[in-house]
Amino acid sequence: MQIPVSEIHEIIDREADDEGSIISALEKVQQHYRYLPKEALILASQRLGVPLSQAYAVATFYNAFSLKPKGKYCLQICMGTACHVRGSPQLLDQMETKFNIKAGETTPDHLFTLETVNCLGACALGPIVVVNDEYSGQMTVQKSDALMKRLIRKEGLD
Ligand code: FES
């Protein structure tokens, strides 16, 4: 995936002009590209006067940041204890099979990323699956199948 450096410049310049922090600059880039290209870390550190090592430390410390490109749809399966005992491993298996990727990977067409997360703080509603920022609780294999089919249909892939 080739990203125009001028676009990254624009985003970071805007943050720098607003006296934004390295975190806010990286947040904007992450929101825009769904990950942090290495050019963004270099530009943000130069433009905001922060050592590159610090930009990298911020990018790797917060879970909200990713150094790897993510899919258009990021599916997170909660593997915390409450969700685990209610069936999240089966949901993960089902999604890995459907998309033919493992947790932590993205489909080659950059549409779907699968991730596991720890407790999302809504244990009573487990098992929980989050698609981008949308939570779905009390997931079952049937509901998860319908969810995946809906996303696939939305992309015209069925
Ligand atoms: S264990 Fe999944 S929300 Fe708490």
Side-chain angles (χ1 to χ4, degrees), residues 78 80-83 119-123 128:
C78 180
T81 306
C83 289
C119 183
L120 292 161
C123 308
I128 306 258

Side-chain angles (χ1 to χ4, degrees), residues 3-25:
I3 301 218
V5 176
S6 60
E7 254 183 40
I8 301 176
H9 260 292
E10 273 175 42
I11 296 170
I12 291 171
D13 280 349
R14 233 176 290 132
E15 277 304 301
D17 292 345
D18 292 346
E19 296 183 7
S21 65
I22 186 82
I23 294 179
S24 62

Side-chain angles (χ1 to χ4, degrees), residues 44-87:
S45 87
Q46 289 170 346
R47 190 69 173 82
L48 297 167
V50 168
L52 183 57
S53 58
Q54 195 182 327
Y56 185 77
V58 167
T60 52
F61 181 78
Y62 294 101
N63 286 338
F65 294 132
S66 172
L67 296 176
K68 284 196 325 198
K70 289 197 182 189
K72 181 174 179 183
Y73 303 101
C74 183
L75 293 95
Q76 298 178 314
I77 301 116
C78 180
M79 299 301 276
T81 306
C83 289
H84 195 277
V85 298
R86 291 182 185 152

